[in-house]
Amino acid sequence: MLWRDIVTFIIHVLSRHRFRTLVLWIAIAIGVVAVNLLTALGEGAKFFILEEFNVLGRNTLITLPGKKETSGGMPPLTGESPRPLTLKDANAVSRLSGVRAVAPIVVGQLEASHAGKIRELLTIGTSRDFFSIRQLGVSQGQILPVLDLNKGEAVCVIGNSSRKELFSNKPALGQWIRLGDTRFRVIGVLKQGGTSFGFDMDDVIIIPVSNAQSLFNVEGLFRLFVEVQAYHQLDTIKGNIVELLKERHEGEEDITVISQDAMLSSVQDILETLTIAVAGIASISMLVAGVLIMNMMMITVSQRVKEIGLLKALGATSSSVRLLFLCEAGFIATVASLSGLLLSHVIILLANLYFVEVQFHSPWWAQSGSILLAVFFAVIFAWLPAQRASMLSPVEALQGKQQKEIA
Amino acid sequence: MIELKHLEKRFQIGDQTVHALDDVSLRIEQGEYISVMGPSGSGKSTLMNILGLLDRANSGDYMLDGINAGKLNEAERTRLRSEKIGFVFQSYHLVPRLTARENIELPMMLSGIAGKARKQKVDDVLAKLDLLDRAHHSPNQLSGGQRQRVAIGRAIVMKPSILLADEPTGNLDSKSGEGVTQLLESLNAEGITLMVVTHDSTLGARANRQLNMLDGRIV
Ligand SMILES: Nc1ncnc2c1ncn2[C@@H]1O[C@H](COP(=O)(O)OP(=O)(O)OP(=O)(O)O)[C@@H](O)[C@H]1O
Ligand SMILES: [Mg+2]
């Protein structure tokens, strides 16, 4: 048989059995839509999260106390290390060639009060460079002044929500906030900015790092952000930092330096795995469609026994009968899955118009995979009915009988 | 030319063996007009099915135009069948979703003949059977006689050398039955071998040669 004739024949059959065609169509399309929408959701979440991590520039290295145990996976985010990373270490790092800026970080939760109002605020002790590294700007006043890292000054920059909660509508600049037993003068208010890298920057109070150290009574730093002058130096400087701190820590390599790229890629790995898992779950719906195809095909074969007998009597070989049924399944799966893909695109488009912050998109592997899988399942599940049809004996089939043993 | 030698066909029904064909030997020349008669269950259809390569005998030889049909595999038999044999069934067996034209085209489509070559041949057949104005009707829009004419058109479109008709007028009134019989006879006059199974003895008597069957034997 010619391919054109096969297609015409199949279209005749499918349009004759509209209900059956519709059910198969919907089942397959739903499978494809499920795979594409769920992966689009996963991808959307991935990009949303990666965007969050992206606030640090590519030129930034993050130094944290404690040695990362394995080469893969996430670094210890809350690692307690026996030997702390100190301000002296930070100073030494800032003197390395190629280092543009360093921002030591000490964080903690403290009660801040002003005129009888008390709020628990995330307190970040850091340096002026923190603002450039994190791309933070102020809407009022100024950022932290230039200071030696080990020198304190009783000034603070607060987030916008912190300002509202403590000062309502009154001016905040120049006012005093009590943190623990120390008073800090407000010299700046941060621009309203979202959450990033785990910290809600609207809800913070930023003070010089040495003040934070004495408030929290700690010597060790939580993090040390290092910005290099040029991206191509990143790896060299990373090595230099490790060397330097190893030397300063009596030859023991007890810190971890990671680049944003490395961090992104491990986060990306996790999210990728998540998306694939979700896609896998969605593929189960394809299996359901496959079983449906098998049942429907079985019913068609028994309904069309006479026709199969006739086709065989008129010159169709067993293999062309089998081919006809397999093509029928493959054809409807192709058409249905393509329309499912189209529908997914429409839904994703609408979702993207509606949720502007998150951009959903179905990756190419989910698109092509869902179609291939749909056609694959359809053909696999149609195999048994097609085989049964091809094995019918023409004489008995013409009489409307099913295959029996022939003596 | 057809030659059957000591053909046997048995069916097993439970623990009973039915001798549908019992030592049938027969020789048919090209262009003969043969009627097959006999009581129900005497093996007429079984004989037609084996002649038409739809079924195989348990033993004996079947030579069709010099080819030993018993030695062919399924695909080879299918090919030989579509080249040499046309079938006409009592209940027409038209595909209901296809038009008259498409039904006639079916055997050519199944054997992979290209669309262009098909069109001319179908047109010829439609003209010959006086069905041109019914070409685009579906079977349920046709009368019984017209349906059987379409079925005959489908049987001859591949220009077979043998036409096997198993009770072709069994479902028709006498007038349309007569039309169908005349059509078959005119095809035979053009040289096709015609073999007709019938219960109607006047119809059977019109053939040049009558075969009578009883219990799987030609008597
Ligand atoms: N597929 C089959 N399975 C079992 N027995 C069969 C089968 N086909 C035919 N037979 C038996 O073989 C014998 C001959 O049957 P056949 O159909 O050839 O008779 P027939 O002469 O065509 O009868 P009718 O005039 O009723 O059509 C019958 O006894 C029938 O029951
Ligand atoms: Mg019969």
Side-chain angles (χ1 to χ4, degrees), chain A residues 389-406:
Chain A
S390 76
M391 296 299 283
L392 285 173
S393 116
V395 178
E396 297 190 2
L398 277 173
Q399 293 164 348
K401 291 188 214 157
Q402 296 276 354
Q403 170 89 338
K404 270 183 262 155
E405 286 328 302
I406 294 168

Side-chain angles (χ1 to χ4, degrees), chain A residues 106-160:
Chain A
V106 170
V107 289
Q109 206 74 25
L110 278 182
E111 271 185 358
S113 61
H114 170 80
K117 285 189 181 149
I118 300 177
R119 285 289 176 278
E120 179 109 329
L121 293 182
L122 179 73
T123 309
I124 301 176
T126 185
S127 68
R128 183 181 174 90
D129 284 339
F130 179 70
F131 293 85
S132 63
I133 293 175
R134 294 293 305 270
Q135 292 155 15
L136 290 172
V138 285
S139 57
Q140 299 173 31
Q142 54 199 334
I143 62 173
L144 290 183
V146 185
L147 284 173
D148 276 350
L149 289 183
N150 50 359
K151 292 263 166 56
E153 194 173 317
V155 291
C156 66
V157 175
I158 56 176
N160 200 38

